[in-house]
Amino acid sequence: MPASSSTGSAGSPEPAGTPSATDAVARADALLSADGQFGDSAAIAERNLARFRLGLTMLARHYAEGAEVLRATAAAPDERLRPLLYDPVLRNCFEVDLVELERGRLDRSSFAAYVGDGAADPSADAPSSTGPCEALAHPHLRAWPGLGDAWVLTEPAPRNDAQKKLGERLMELYRDALGSGAAAPVRPTDEVMAGLRAGADLLATLLPSSGAGVLGHVTVVGFTHRESEEGPLQSMSGGDPLPSAVLLAPERCASPWLAAESLLHEGAHLKLFDALRTGSLVANPTERVPIPWRIGSWTLIRVFVALHFYVHVLAFRAAAAAAGEAVRERFGAPPSVEEIDEPSPGTPAAQDGTYRTAAERARHLAECVLSLPDEALTENGRRFARWLLAALRLVDAEAPEPPARAAAAAAGSGEEGRLPEIPSKGVLERVAPVDACALPGLGQLIVGTTRSARMHWLNARSWTVYSLCDGRDPASLRAAYARAVALPADSEEAGRQVAKSLRRLLAAGLVTHSG
Protein backbone atom coordinates (compact mmCIF):
# COMPACT_ATOMS: atom_id res chain seq x y z
CA MET A 1 0.00 0.00 0.00
CA PRO A 2 1.24 3.55 -0.58
CA ALA A 3 3.17 4.96 2.31
CA SER A 4 2.63 8.40 3.69
CA SER A 5 4.88 11.35 3.11
CA SER A 6 6.16 12.28 6.53
CA THR A 7 8.13 15.41 7.28
CA GLY A 8 8.09 18.20 9.78
CA SER A 9 8.35 18.93 13.48
CA ALA A 10 7.83 16.41 16.24
CA GLY A 11 5.96 18.98 18.27
CA SER A 12 8.45 18.77 21.12
CA PRO A 13 7.79 21.19 24.00
CA GLU A 14 11.51 21.98 24.09
CA PRO A 15 12.94 24.62 21.72
CA ALA A 16 15.03 23.23 18.88
CA GLY A 17 18.64 22.65 19.80
CA THR A 18 18.21 22.89 23.59
CA PRO A 19 20.37 20.49 25.64
CA SER A 20 17.34 18.62 27.02
CA ALA A 21 15.85 18.10 23.56
CA THR A 22 19.17 16.95 22.15
CA ASP A 23 19.68 14.58 25.07
CA ALA A 24 16.19 13.07 24.68
CA VAL A 25 16.85 12.43 20.98
CA ALA A 26 20.20 10.80 21.74
CA ARG A 27 18.63 8.57 24.38
CA ALA A 28 15.77 7.59 22.07
CA ASP A 29 18.20 6.85 19.25
CA ALA A 30 20.31 4.67 21.54
CA LEU A 31 17.29 2.87 23.01
CA LEU A 32 15.80 2.07 19.59
CA SER A 33 19.00 0.27 18.61
CA ALA A 34 19.94 -1.25 21.97
CA ASP A 35 17.38 -3.98 22.65
CA GLY A 36 18.98 -7.34 21.84
CA GLN A 37 15.78 -8.82 20.43
CA PHE A 38 14.29 -5.92 18.47
CA GLY A 39 16.76 -3.02 18.32
CA ASP A 40 20.29 -4.39 17.84
CA SER A 41 20.65 -4.89 14.09
CA ALA A 42 23.81 -6.98 14.47
CA ALA A 43 22.04 -9.38 16.85
CA ILE A 44 18.98 -9.54 14.58
CA ALA A 45 21.23 -10.39 11.63
CA GLU A 46 23.06 -13.07 13.65
CA ARG A 47 19.78 -14.75 14.60
CA ASN A 48 18.52 -14.65 11.03
CA LEU A 49 21.73 -16.18 9.76
CA ALA A 50 21.39 -18.99 12.33
CA ARG A 51 17.76 -19.49 11.32
CA PHE A 52 18.90 -19.65 7.68
CA ARG A 53 21.49 -22.34 8.43
CA LEU A 54 19.05 -24.39 10.48
CA GLY A 55 16.28 -24.00 7.93
CA LEU A 56 18.49 -25.22 5.11
CA THR A 57 19.55 -28.21 7.23
CA MET A 58 15.91 -29.07 8.00
CA LEU A 59 14.98 -28.76 4.32
CA ALA A 60 17.82 -31.16 3.46
CA ARG A 61 16.36 -33.77 5.82
CA HIS A 62 13.04 -33.73 3.98
CA TYR A 63 14.12 -33.18 0.37
CA ALA A 64 16.57 -35.84 -0.67
CA GLU A 65 16.97 -34.60 -4.25
CA GLY A 66 18.44 -31.29 -3.14
CA ALA A 67 19.95 -32.42 0.15
CA GLU A 68 23.55 -32.17 -0.98
CA VAL A 69 23.37 -28.59 -2.18
CA LEU A 70 21.23 -27.53 0.80
CA ARG A 71 23.69 -28.99 3.33
CA ALA A 72 26.67 -27.54 1.50
CA THR A 73 25.05 -24.10 1.53
CA ALA A 74 24.18 -24.38 5.23
CA ALA A 75 27.84 -25.17 5.98
CA ALA A 76 29.20 -22.18 4.04
CA PRO A 77 30.98 -19.37 5.93
CA ASP A 78 29.00 -16.30 6.97
CA GLU A 79 30.43 -14.09 4.23
CA ARG A 80 29.08 -16.52 1.62
CA LEU A 81 25.70 -16.99 3.30
CA ARG A 82 24.77 -13.34 3.86
CA PRO A 83 24.44 -12.43 0.14
CA LEU A 84 22.20 -15.49 -0.33
CA LEU A 85 20.00 -14.82 2.70
CA TYR A 86 19.37 -11.21 1.73
CA ASP A 87 18.96 -11.83 -2.00
CA PRO A 88 15.30 -11.03 -2.87
CA VAL A 89 14.65 -14.16 -4.94
CA LEU A 90 16.51 -16.64 -2.73
CA ARG A 91 15.04 -15.21 0.49
CA ASN A 92 11.56 -15.55 -1.00
CA CYS A 93 12.31 -19.14 -2.05
CA PHE A 94 13.65 -20.00 1.40
CA GLU A 95 10.60 -18.64 3.22
CA VAL A 96 8.19 -20.41 0.84
CA ASP A 97 10.11 -23.67 1.26
CA LEU A 98 9.90 -23.41 5.07
CA VAL A 99 6.14 -22.82 4.95
CA GLU A 100 5.67 -25.83 2.67
CA LEU A 101 7.87 -27.94 4.95
CA GLU A 102 5.89 -26.99 8.05
CA ARG A 103 2.66 -27.83 6.25
CA GLY A 104 4.02 -31.19 5.17
CA ARG A 105 3.77 -30.30 1.48
CA LEU A 106 7.40 -29.90 0.43
CA ASP A 107 7.59 -31.70 -2.93
CA ARG A 108 10.56 -29.68 -4.17
CA SER A 109 12.82 -26.89 -2.92
CA SER A 110 12.87 -23.83 -5.16
CA PHE A 111 15.84 -22.56 -3.16
CA ALA A 112 17.82 -25.72 -3.94
CA ALA A 113 16.83 -25.45 -7.59
CA TYR A 114 18.26 -21.92 -8.00
CA VAL A 115 21.45 -22.67 -6.06
CA GLY A 116 21.90 -26.05 -7.74
CA ASP A 117 21.74 -24.71 -11.30
CA GLY A 118 24.51 -22.20 -10.62
CA ALA A 119 22.43 -19.01 -10.52
CA ALA A 120 23.80 -18.22 -7.06
CA ASP A 121 27.47 -18.69 -7.97
CA PRO A 122 29.32 -15.37 -7.72
CA SER A 123 31.12 -14.23 -10.84
CA ALA A 124 34.90 -14.16 -10.73
CA ASP A 125 35.12 -10.36 -10.71
CA ALA A 126 32.27 -9.71 -8.26
CA PRO A 127 32.94 -8.65 -4.64
CA SER A 128 32.15 -11.30 -2.03
CA SER A 129 29.22 -9.21 -0.78
CA THR A 130 27.49 -9.29 -4.17
CA GLY A 131 24.31 -11.38 -4.18
CA PRO A 132 22.93 -13.36 -7.14
CA CYS A 133 20.28 -10.80 -8.17
CA GLU A 134 22.65 -7.89 -7.66
CA ALA A 135 25.07 -9.52 -10.12
CA LEU A 136 22.39 -9.11 -12.83
CA ALA A 137 21.97 -5.35 -12.34
CA HIS A 138 23.17 -3.22 -15.23
CA PRO A 139 24.34 -0.63 -14.65
CA HIS A 140 25.53 -1.63 -11.19
CA LEU A 141 24.77 1.14 -8.68
CA ARG A 142 25.33 1.14 -4.94
CA ALA A 143 22.52 2.90 -3.10
CA TRP A 144 24.58 4.56 -0.37
CA PRO A 145 28.31 3.77 -0.53
CA GLY A 146 29.98 3.88 2.85
CA LEU A 147 26.75 3.21 4.75
CA GLY A 148 25.99 -0.30 3.51
CA ASP A 149 25.92 -2.67 0.56
CA ALA A 150 22.42 -1.95 -0.75
CA TRP A 151 22.15 -1.83 -4.55
CA VAL A 152 19.73 -0.22 -7.00
CA LEU A 153 17.22 -2.27 -8.98
CA THR A 154 17.51 -1.90 -12.75
CA GLU A 155 16.42 -4.20 -15.56
CA PRO A 156 18.39 -7.48 -15.18
CA ALA A 157 21.12 -8.22 -17.72
CA PRO A 158 21.66 -12.02 -17.43
CA ARG A 159 24.69 -13.67 -19.00
CA ASN A 160 23.46 -17.29 -19.08
CA ASP A 161 20.29 -19.37 -18.83
CA ALA A 162 20.49 -19.76 -15.04
CA GLN A 163 20.78 -16.01 -14.57
CA LYS A 164 17.95 -15.45 -17.06
CA LYS A 165 15.67 -17.63 -14.95
CA LEU A 166 16.73 -15.75 -11.82
CA GLY A 167 16.14 -12.36 -13.45
CA GLU A 168 12.68 -13.39 -14.66
CA ARG A 169 11.75 -14.46 -11.14
CA LEU A 170 13.04 -11.18 -9.72
CA MET A 171 10.81 -9.20 -12.07
CA GLU A 172 7.87 -11.49 -11.29
CA LEU A 173 8.29 -10.81 -7.56
CA TYR A 174 8.62 -7.09 -8.30
CA ARG A 175 5.32 -7.06 -10.21
CA ASP A 176 3.55 -9.19 -7.58
CA ALA A 177 4.68 -6.86 -4.80
CA LEU A 178 3.35 -3.78 -6.59
CA GLY A 179 0.13 -5.36 -7.83
CA SER A 180 -1.97 -3.99 -10.65
CA GLY A 181 -0.75 -0.79 -12.25
CA ALA A 182 2.91 -1.65 -11.74
CA ALA A 183 5.35 -0.03 -14.14
CA ALA A 184 8.82 -1.34 -14.96
CA PRO A 185 11.65 -0.23 -12.67
CA VAL A 186 12.76 3.32 -13.41
CA ARG A 187 16.45 3.83 -14.06
CA PRO A 188 17.34 6.66 -11.69
CA THR A 189 18.91 9.84 -12.96
CA ASP A 190 22.05 11.26 -11.42
CA GLU A 191 19.88 13.76 -9.56
CA VAL A 192 17.69 11.01 -8.07
CA MET A 193 20.75 9.03 -6.98
CA ALA A 194 22.24 12.14 -5.39
CA GLY A 195 18.98 12.73 -3.50
CA LEU A 196 18.86 9.10 -2.34
CA ARG A 197 22.42 9.21 -1.02
CA ALA A 198 21.88 12.58 0.63
CA GLY A 199 18.78 11.16 2.34
CA ALA A 200 20.73 8.18 3.65
CA ASP A 201 23.49 10.49 4.88
CA LEU A 202 20.94 12.73 6.60
CA LEU A 203 19.25 9.76 8.28
CA ALA A 204 22.56 8.44 9.59
CA THR A 205 23.55 11.95 10.74
CA LEU A 206 20.34 12.65 12.67
CA LEU A 207 19.97 9.14 14.14
CA PRO A 208 23.46 7.61 14.03
CA SER A 209 22.37 4.40 15.79
CA SER A 210 18.77 3.62 14.84
CA GLY A 211 18.74 5.51 11.53
CA ALA A 212 21.98 4.03 10.25
CA GLY A 213 20.82 0.66 11.60
CA VAL A 214 17.68 0.42 9.47
CA LEU A 215 19.73 1.05 6.32
CA GLY A 216 21.50 -2.25 6.97
CA HIS A 217 18.22 -4.14 6.58
CA VAL A 218 17.75 -2.84 3.04
CA THR A 219 19.34 -4.94 0.29
CA VAL A 220 17.85 -3.32 -2.81
CA VAL A 221 16.24 0.03 -3.63
CA GLY A 222 14.00 0.26 -6.65
CA PHE A 223 12.40 3.32 -8.26
CA THR A 224 8.99 2.98 -9.83
CA HIS A 225 5.61 4.55 -10.55
CA ARG A 226 2.26 3.04 -9.71
CA GLU A 227 -1.26 4.40 -9.66
CA SER A 228 -4.01 2.80 -7.60
CA GLU A 229 -7.36 3.72 -6.09
CA GLU A 230 -5.43 4.90 -3.02
CA GLY A 231 -3.37 7.30 -5.12
CA PRO A 232 0.18 7.27 -6.50
CA LEU A 233 2.83 5.17 -4.81
CA GLN A 234 5.15 7.12 -2.53
CA SER A 235 7.15 4.30 -0.95
CA MET A 236 6.77 0.70 0.16
CA SER A 237 8.79 -2.14 1.65
CA GLY A 238 8.75 -5.60 0.13
CA GLY A 239 8.16 -7.90 3.08
CA ASP A 240 7.49 -11.50 2.02
CA PRO A 241 6.68 -10.77 -1.66
CA LEU A 242 9.94 -8.92 -2.34
CA PRO A 243 12.22 -9.41 0.69
CA SER A 244 14.76 -6.82 1.85
CA ALA A 245 13.56 -4.36 -0.80
CA VAL A 246 12.41 -0.74 -0.69
CA LEU A 247 10.51 0.76 -3.63
CA LEU A 248 10.30 4.54 -4.01
CA ALA A 249 8.72 7.04 -6.35
CA PRO A 250 11.66 9.00 -7.82
CA GLU A 251 10.03 12.19 -6.51
CA ARG A 252 10.78 11.06 -2.95
CA CYS A 253 14.42 11.89 -3.62
CA ALA A 254 13.73 15.50 -4.60
CA SER A 255 14.73 16.50 -1.06
CA PRO A 256 17.11 14.85 1.42
CA TRP A 257 14.39 15.19 4.07
CA LEU A 258 11.80 13.34 1.98
CA ALA A 259 14.30 10.64 1.08
CA ALA A 260 15.52 10.23 4.67
CA GLU A 261 12.04 9.82 6.11
CA SER A 262 11.03 7.40 3.36
CA LEU A 263 14.11 5.27 4.03
CA LEU A 264 13.44 5.36 7.77
CA HIS A 265 9.80 4.40 7.24
CA GLU A 266 10.44 1.43 4.98
CA GLY A 267 13.75 0.43 6.57
CA ALA A 268 12.07 0.24 9.99
CA HIS A 269 9.47 -2.11 8.51
CA LEU A 270 12.20 -4.34 7.07
CA LYS A 271 14.08 -4.34 10.37
CA LEU A 272 10.96 -5.43 12.25
CA PHE A 273 10.26 -8.02 9.56
CA ASP A 274 13.71 -9.51 10.22
CA ALA A 275 13.28 -9.33 14.01
CA LEU A 276 9.89 -11.06 13.98
CA ARG A 277 11.29 -14.04 12.08
CA THR A 278 12.74 -15.25 15.37
CA GLY A 279 9.84 -14.71 17.77
CA SER A 280 6.11 -13.94 17.72
CA LEU A 281 4.53 -11.03 19.59
CA VAL A 282 0.86 -11.94 19.81
CA ALA A 283 -0.94 -15.05 20.99
CA ASN A 284 -3.75 -14.74 18.44
CA PRO A 285 -2.56 -13.41 15.04
CA THR A 286 -6.15 -12.96 13.80
CA GLU A 287 -7.35 -10.75 16.70
CA ARG A 288 -8.31 -7.30 15.46
CA VAL A 289 -8.87 -3.81 16.88
CA PRO A 290 -10.72 -0.83 15.32
CA ILE A 291 -8.61 2.06 14.01
CA PRO A 292 -10.41 5.44 13.97
CA TRP A 293 -8.57 6.80 10.90
CA ARG A 294 -9.05 3.67 8.80
CA ILE A 295 -12.12 1.78 7.58
CA GLY A 296 -12.34 -1.61 9.22
CA SER A 297 -9.89 -2.92 11.77
CA TRP A 298 -6.27 -3.98 12.08
CA THR A 299 -4.70 -7.15 13.39
CA LEU A 300 -2.65 -6.74 16.54
CA ILE A 301 0.57 -7.35 14.65
CA ARG A 302 -0.30 -4.52 12.25
CA VAL A 303 -0.87 -2.27 15.28
CA PHE A 304 2.64 -3.10 16.48
CA VAL A 305 4.14 -2.55 13.01
CA ALA A 306 2.48 0.87 12.72
CA LEU A 307 3.46 1.91 16.25
CA HIS A 308 7.05 0.81 15.58
CA PHE A 309 7.17 3.10 12.53
CA TYR A 310 5.53 6.07 14.27
CA VAL A 311 7.98 5.89 17.18
CA HIS A 312 10.89 5.96 14.73
CA VAL A 313 9.45 8.85 12.72
CA LEU A 314 8.81 10.88 15.88
CA ALA A 315 12.42 10.33 16.91
CA PHE A 316 13.48 11.51 13.44
CA ARG A 317 11.39 14.65 13.69
CA ALA A 318 12.64 15.38 17.18
CA ALA A 319 16.19 15.00 15.87
CA ALA A 320 15.37 17.35 12.99
CA ALA A 321 14.00 19.95 15.40
CA ALA A 322 17.10 19.68 17.59
CA ALA A 323 19.60 19.67 14.72
CA GLY A 324 22.26 22.33 14.67
CA GLU A 325 23.17 24.76 11.92
CA ALA A 326 25.71 22.37 10.40
CA VAL A 327 22.91 19.97 9.46
CA ARG A 328 20.80 22.74 7.94
CA GLU A 329 23.73 24.11 5.97
CA ARG A 330 24.49 20.67 4.55
CA PHE A 331 20.97 19.33 3.90
CA GLY A 332 18.76 22.42 3.95
CA ALA A 333 16.11 23.32 6.50
CA PRO A 334 13.57 20.63 7.44
CA PRO A 335 10.03 21.23 6.14
CA SER A 336 7.98 23.26 8.58
CA VAL A 337 4.66 21.49 7.97
CA GLU A 338 4.00 17.90 8.94
CA GLU A 339 2.60 15.81 6.12
CA ILE A 340 0.73 12.62 6.86
CA ASP A 341 -1.73 10.55 4.87
CA GLU A 342 -5.36 11.57 5.20
CA PRO A 343 -7.82 9.52 7.28
CA SER A 344 -9.99 7.28 5.11
CA PRO A 345 -13.25 8.98 4.05
CA GLY A 346 -16.17 8.20 6.32
CA THR A 347 -14.07 7.30 9.36
CA PRO A 348 -14.49 9.06 12.73
CA ALA A 349 -11.13 10.79 12.23
CA ALA A 350 -12.18 12.14 8.83
CA GLN A 351 -15.44 13.47 10.28
CA ASP A 352 -14.08 15.17 13.38
CA GLY A 353 -10.61 16.19 12.18
CA THR A 354 -8.61 14.05 14.60
CA TYR A 355 -5.60 11.75 14.16
CA ARG A 356 -3.95 14.03 11.62
CA THR A 357 -0.47 13.83 13.16
CA ALA A 358 2.00 11.03 13.79
CA ALA A 359 1.98 11.83 17.52
CA GLU A 360 -1.81 11.48 17.79
CA ARG A 361 -1.74 8.15 16.01
CA ALA A 362 1.21 6.85 18.04
CA ARG A 363 -0.56 7.73 21.29
CA HIS A 364 -3.73 5.95 20.18
CA LEU A 365 -1.83 2.82 19.14
CA ALA A 366 0.09 2.88 22.42
CA GLU A 367 -3.21 3.01 24.33
CA CYS A 368 -4.43 0.03 22.27
CA VAL A 369 -1.37 -1.96 23.30
CA LEU A 370 -1.71 -0.98 26.98
CA SER A 371 -5.38 -2.02 27.03
CA LEU A 372 -4.69 -5.55 25.82
CA PRO A 373 -5.25 -8.37 28.32
CA ASP A 374 -2.15 -10.19 29.52
CA GLU A 375 -2.90 -13.30 27.52
CA ALA A 376 -3.06 -11.40 24.21
CA LEU A 377 0.74 -11.01 24.07
CA THR A 378 3.60 -13.46 24.27
CA GLU A 379 6.54 -12.84 26.56
CA ASN A 380 8.31 -11.37 23.51
CA GLY A 381 5.29 -9.16 22.87
CA ARG A 382 5.31 -7.73 26.38
CA ARG A 383 9.04 -7.03 26.10
CA PHE A 384 8.50 -5.37 22.73
CA ALA A 385 5.71 -3.18 24.14
CA ARG A 386 7.81 -2.03 27.12
CA TRP A 387 10.77 -1.18 24.90
CA LEU A 388 8.79 0.66 22.25
CA LEU A 389 6.63 2.65 24.68
CA ALA A 390 9.72 3.70 26.65
CA ALA A 391 11.26 5.05 23.44
CA LEU A 392 8.01 6.84 22.57
CA ARG A 393 7.97 8.66 25.91
CA LEU A 394 11.45 10.06 25.20
CA VAL A 395 10.22 11.90 22.10
CA ASP A 396 6.61 12.57 23.13
CA ALA A 397 6.01 13.61 26.74
CA GLU A 398 2.23 13.22 26.27
CA ALA A 399 2.46 9.56 25.26
CA PRO A 400 1.07 7.01 27.74
CA GLU A 401 3.40 5.57 30.34
CA PRO A 402 4.88 2.14 29.56
CA PRO A 403 4.02 -0.61 32.04
CA ALA A 404 6.29 -1.06 35.02
CA ARG A 405 8.78 -3.89 34.58
CA ALA A 406 7.60 -5.66 37.74
CA ALA A 407 3.98 -5.59 36.64
CA ALA A 408 4.90 -6.76 33.17
CA ALA A 409 7.02 -9.59 34.54
CA ALA A 410 4.11 -10.77 36.65
CA ALA A 411 1.83 -10.83 33.61
CA GLY A 412 1.38 -13.84 31.39
CA SER A 413 -0.48 -16.12 33.76
CA GLY A 414 -2.79 -16.97 30.89
CA GLU A 415 0.15 -18.07 28.76
CA GLU A 416 1.63 -20.14 31.61
CA GLY A 417 -1.75 -21.70 32.29
CA ARG A 418 -1.78 -23.27 28.83
CA LEU A 419 1.49 -25.13 29.43
CA PRO A 420 1.73 -28.68 30.77
CA GLU A 421 2.28 -29.36 34.46
CA ILE A 422 5.72 -30.35 35.72
CA PRO A 423 5.95 -34.06 36.56
CA SER A 424 7.15 -34.90 40.08
CA LYS A 425 8.70 -38.24 39.15
CA GLY A 426 9.86 -40.18 36.11
CA VAL A 427 12.55 -39.52 33.52
CA LEU A 428 13.09 -36.43 31.37
CA GLU A 429 14.87 -36.80 28.04
CA ARG A 430 15.57 -34.69 24.96
CA VAL A 431 13.87 -35.90 21.80
CA ALA A 432 16.00 -37.11 18.91
CA PRO A 433 16.89 -36.52 16.18
CA VAL A 434 17.04 -32.73 16.17
CA ASP A 435 18.95 -30.06 14.27
CA ALA A 436 20.36 -27.19 16.29
CA CYS A 437 22.36 -24.01 15.91
CA ALA A 438 23.96 -22.31 18.89
CA LEU A 439 24.45 -18.56 19.35
CA PRO A 440 26.58 -18.47 22.51
CA GLY A 441 27.25 -14.75 22.24
CA LEU A 442 23.50 -14.08 22.41
CA GLY A 443 22.80 -16.83 24.96
CA GLN A 444 20.39 -18.57 22.58
CA LEU A 445 19.96 -22.00 21.00
CA ILE A 446 17.68 -22.64 18.04
CA VAL A 447 16.39 -26.21 17.73
CA GLY A 448 14.34 -27.92 15.03
CA THR A 449 12.74 -31.35 15.39
CA THR A 450 12.13 -33.74 12.52
CA ARG A 451 8.63 -34.43 13.86
CA SER A 452 7.17 -30.95 13.55
CA ALA A 453 9.55 -29.16 11.15
CA ARG A 454 9.28 -26.12 13.45
CA MET A 455 12.06 -24.06 14.99
CA HIS A 456 12.20 -23.28 18.70
CA TRP A 457 14.26 -20.49 20.26
CA LEU A 458 15.72 -21.22 23.69
CA ASN A 459 17.15 -18.56 25.95
CA ALA A 460 20.12 -19.25 28.20
CA ARG A 461 17.98 -20.69 31.01
CA SER A 462 15.93 -22.95 28.75
CA TRP A 463 19.10 -24.00 26.93
CA THR A 464 20.67 -25.07 30.24
CA VAL A 465 17.56 -26.99 31.32
CA TYR A 466 17.33 -28.62 27.88
CA SER A 467 20.96 -29.75 28.03
CA LEU A 468 20.34 -31.40 31.44
CA CYS A 469 17.33 -33.46 30.26
CA ASP A 470 19.46 -36.55 29.69
CA GLY A 471 17.50 -39.16 31.63
CA ARG A 472 17.41 -37.38 34.99
CA ASP A 473 14.36 -37.27 37.23
CA PRO A 474 12.87 -33.81 38.03
CA ALA A 475 14.59 -33.54 41.43
CA SER A 476 18.00 -34.35 39.95
CA LEU A 477 17.37 -31.87 37.16
CA ARG A 478 16.63 -29.06 39.62
CA ALA A 479 19.78 -29.83 41.62
CA ALA A 480 21.97 -29.96 38.50
CA TYR A 481 20.50 -26.68 37.22
CA ALA A 482 21.12 -24.95 40.55
CA ARG A 483 24.77 -26.02 40.41
CA ALA A 484 25.09 -24.85 36.79
CA VAL A 485 23.80 -21.34 37.55
CA ALA A 486 25.47 -21.04 40.98
CA LEU A 487 22.27 -21.01 43.06
CA PRO A 488 21.65 -22.95 46.31
CA ALA A 489 20.33 -26.45 45.63
CA ASP A 490 17.09 -25.73 47.52
CA SER A 491 16.67 -22.27 46.00
CA GLU A 492 13.09 -21.31 45.19
CA GLU A 493 14.40 -19.19 42.31
CA ALA A 494 16.17 -22.18 40.77
CA GLY A 495 12.98 -24.22 41.08
CA ARG A 496 10.95 -21.45 39.44
CA GLN A 497 13.38 -21.10 36.54
CA VAL A 498 13.48 -24.85 35.92
CA ALA A 499 9.70 -25.16 36.09
CA LYS A 500 9.09 -22.33 33.64
CA SER A 501 11.66 -23.60 31.14
CA LEU A 502 10.68 -27.25 31.44
CA ARG A 503 7.00 -26.56 30.87
CA ARG A 504 7.84 -24.79 27.63
CA LEU A 505 10.23 -27.53 26.52
CA LEU A 506 7.55 -30.16 27.13
CA ALA A 507 4.93 -28.10 25.28
CA ALA A 508 7.30 -27.66 22.32
CA GLY A 509 7.95 -31.40 22.13
CA LEU A 510 11.68 -30.95 22.69
CA VAL A 511 11.64 -32.95 25.93
CA THR A 512 9.66 -36.09 26.79
CA HIS A 513 8.62 -37.50 30.17
CA SER A 514 8.21 -41.16 30.93
CA GLY A 515 7.71 -43.35 33.99
Side-chain angles (χ1 to χ4, degrees):
M1 61 185 293
S4 63
S5 164
S6 305
T7 53
S9 168
S12 169
E14 297 289 345
T18 63
S20 56
T22 303
D23 179 62
V25 169
R27 286 187 290 140
D29 181 38
L31 182 59
L32 285 172
S33 57
D35 184 89
Q37 189 72 23
F38 306 109
D40 185 339
S41 291
I44 292 169
E46 186 176 349
R47 284 194 298 273
N48 271 281
L49 202 61
R51 176 177 176 268
F52 190 37
R53 288 187 189 279
L54 186 62
L56 293 174
T57 304
M58 294 170 67
L59 290 170
R61 278 190 179 272
H62 293 81
Y63 184 60
E65 186 177 339
E68 183 177 353
V69 69
L70 288 166
R71 288 196 177 98
T73 306
D78 287 358
E79 59 269 20
R80 166 68 175 144
L81 273 189
R82 285 193 185 94
L84 304 185
L85 172 59
Y86 295 105
D87 179 87
V89 170
L90 294 188
R91 177 73 173 267
N92 176 268
C93 289
F94 173 72
E95 300 297 348
V96 171
D97 283 354
L98 283 188
V99 170
E100 293 298 291
L101 177 62
E102 190 168 332
R103 292 175 177 173
R105 301 191 314 215
L106 184 72
D107 297 324
R108 62 184 297 275
S109 165
S110 54
F111 182 95
Y114 279 111
V115 176
D117 69 11
D121 290 339
S123 60
D125 57 348
S128 60
S129 61
T130 300
C133 285
E134 181 184 0
L136 308 182
H138 182 75
H140 182 269
L141 301 171
R142 289 287 190 189
W144 35 76
L147 292 173
D149 294 329
W151 51 280
V152 175
L153 179 66
T154 52
E155 286 287 350
R159 295 182 294 276
N160 54 49
D161 288 344
Q163 287 192 336
K164 180 180 179 182
K165 177 182 174 184
L166 186 73
E168 289 173 348
R169 181 57 178 159
L170 175 61
M171 287 298 98
E172 183 179 356
L173 293 179
Y174 165 83
R175 290 189 294 270
D176 289 347
L178 284 170
S180 60
V186 174
R187 180 171 172 174
T189 63
D190 291 345
E191 290 76 13
V192 169
M193 286 301 302
L196 175 70
R197 290 167 177 167
D201 285 342
L202 173 59
L203 179 56
T205 298
L206 289 180
L207 299 174
S209 293
S210 60
V214 303
L215 294 176
H217 294 267
V218 182
T219 293
V220 55
V221 178
F223 294 96
T224 189
H225 295 290
R226 186 197 67 182
E227 292 287 341
S228 72
E229 60 183 11
E230 298 178 347
L233 172 77
Q234 300 297 321
S235 67
M236 65 173 286
S237 51
D240 272 326
L242 190 63
S244 305
V246 167
L247 299 178
L248 302 172
E251 293 77 16
R252 297 301 292 180
C253 294
S255 153
W257 295 93
L258 281 177
E261 191 163 304
S262 297
L263 292 174
L264 177 64
H265 182 166
E266 308 307 343
H269 286 336
L270 292 179
K271 180 177 180 178
L272 186 57
F273 178 87
D274 282 341
L276 295 186
R277 285 301 182 191
T278 61
S280 62
L281 301 181
V282 300
N284 179 5
T286 64
E287 185 174 351
R288 305 181 74 89
V289 295
I291 300 298
W293 60 91
R294 288 290 177 259
I295 296 172
S297 57
W298 284 359
T299 62
L300 291 183
I301 191 61
R302 187 174 178 184
V303 169
F304 273 126
V305 169
L307 179 58
H308 183 258
F309 156 66
Y310 281 126
V311 172
H312 279 78
V313 82
L314 287 172
F316 176 82
R317 293 176 183 173
E325 284 304 314
V327 171
R328 287 169 166 77
E329 289 176 4
R330 181 179 175 190
F331 299 104
S336 58
V337 179
E338 176 178 351
E339 296 178 23
I340 194 168
D341 57 346
E342 290 290 321
S344 300
T347 60
Q351 294 169 358
D352 59 24
T354 54
Y355 301 108
R356 301 299 179 100
T357 68
E360 286 180 293
R361 294 184 182 183
R363 292 168 197 158
H364 178 82
L365 296 174
E367 293 286 3
C368 286
V369 169
L370 289 172
S371 68
L372 293 172
D374 294 340
E375 61 271 16
L377 302 181
T378 65
E379 185 174 336
N380 263 342
R382 289 186 289 276
R383 173 178 174 171
F384 183 80
R386 291 194 302 272
W387 165 70
L388 201 54
L389 295 179
L392 176 60
R393 285 281 297 180
L394 287 172
V395 291
D396 180 10
E398 297 180 35
E401 289 276 3
R405 178 172 294 274
S413 56
E415 179 183 355
E416 292 296 321
R418 294 191 294 270
L419 298 176
E421 293 298 324
I422 300 298
S424 59
K425 298 180 180 179
V427 173
L428 297 162
E429 293 187 284
R430 299 186 297 274
V431 300
V434 298
D435 297 303
C437 187
L439 295 88
L442 300 180
Q444 290 183 305
L445 178 73
I446 176 173
V447 183
T449 67
T450 56
R451 294 180 185 176
S452 68
R454 293 186 60 190
M455 299 184 194
H456 303 277
W457 291 83
L458 309 184
N459 60 21
R461 290 176 180 174
S462 295
W463 185 355
T464 303
V465 172
Y466 176 67
S467 69
L468 294 171
C469 291
D470 53 5
R472 303 170 195 261
D473 60 63
S476 298
L477 173 63
R478 285 192 293 273
Y481 178 85
R483 288 193 299 272
V485 299
L487 287 172
D490 57 352
S491 165
E492 290 186 6
E493 179 61 20
R496 186 189 68 80
Q497 292 177 16
V498 169
K500 183 176 182 180
S501 296
L502 188 54
R503 293 179 75 187
R504 293 183 175 179
L505 291 168
L506 288 166
L510 296 177
V511 169
T512 60
H513 170 256
S514 60

